[in-house]
Amino acid sequence: MNFLSNNVKIKRPKKRLGRGIGSGKGKTSGRGVKGQKSRSGVAIKSFEGGQMPLYRRLPKRGFNPINKSKIAKINLDQLQNFLNNKKIDHDDQINLESLKKKKIIGKSYLKFKILANGNLTSKINIEADFSSVAAKDKIEKVGGVIKIKNLK
């Protein structure tokens, strides 16, 4: 057959295995002799001859996002508790840096979010990366100010 010709429909006859010596594919049907690969139902998937397989050489990624940013979540009742225990001053602006300095939030956190669980009785000034709508309403109802950073 000439494969360089532009015949679109080239039909090749199917190999008929195990149909006698004269066919050229008789007896072992082109599988060689003995061994695992000559048996039926055996697939040596991703076996690389004892070399460390590719799927084990690469790091595990699974369901752990690579670019995940750690977000600290703080509820209003926790903030009120810190104010009552004098860990935070009423006059200071509360932001990520100030919370890290006072060791309320760990160093590894890159952003923080205000959540609305609990009640706030003190007037505070907060600069956060995120905030729930209910938390924003509760802070503004007490007379506090919340500024949300503009993030892309």
Side-chain angles (χ1 to χ4, degrees), residues 4-139:
L4 295 174
S5 66
N6 60 357
N7 292 342
V8 180
K9 293 187 177 182
I10 296 173
K11 283 271 190 177
R12 283 190 149 193
K14 191 178 90 174
K15 285 182 187 172
R16 297 187 70 229
L17 304 176
R19 294 294 184 273
I21 299 167
S23 69
K25 291 283 180 208
K27 195 185 168 207
T28 54
S29 307
R31 287 177 173 264
V33 193
K34 295 185 180 177
Q36 188 178 11
K37 287 184 177 177
S38 71
R39 314 285 191 243
S40 68
V42 177
I44 307 171
K45 186 173 60 180
S46 73
F47 182 70
E48 297 180 21
Q51 172 178 298
M52 186 63 70
L54 182 68
Y55 73 92
R56 286 182 61 196
R57 273 179 273 165
L58 299 174
K60 291 197 279 187
R61 280 196 48 200
F63 289 93
N64 303 322
I66 283 179
N67 302 327
K68 186 178 182 183
S69 58
K70 279 183 92 176
I71 300 172
K73 297 169 192 87
I74 296 180
N75 281 304
L76 291 178
D77 59 350
Q78 290 173 311
L79 276 175
Q80 186 58 52
N81 195 19
F82 293 135
L83 288 165
N84 294 343
N85 296 339
K86 298 204 165 66
K87 271 196 165 186
I88 301 173
D89 295 326
H90 294 273
D91 309 326
D92 293 348
Q93 184 181 32
I94 300 165
N95 56 18
L96 187 66
E97 288 73 35
S98 67
L99 292 172
K100 278 183 182 180
K101 278 180 190 170
K102 292 174 180 165
K103 295 185 179 177
I104 294 169
I105 290 178
K107 291 178 187 175
S108 62
Y109 288 103
L110 304 173
K111 298 173 184 175
F112 93 104
K113 181 173 183 171
I114 304 290
L115 299 174
N117 194 14
N119 289 317
L120 190 69
T121 55
S122 308
K123 189 174 159 182
I124 53 173
N125 183 11
I126 301 176
E127 183 184 6
D129 295 295
F130 309 104
S131 170
S132 66
V133 177
K136 191 174 181 181
D137 292 342
K138 284 184 179 180
I139 291 166

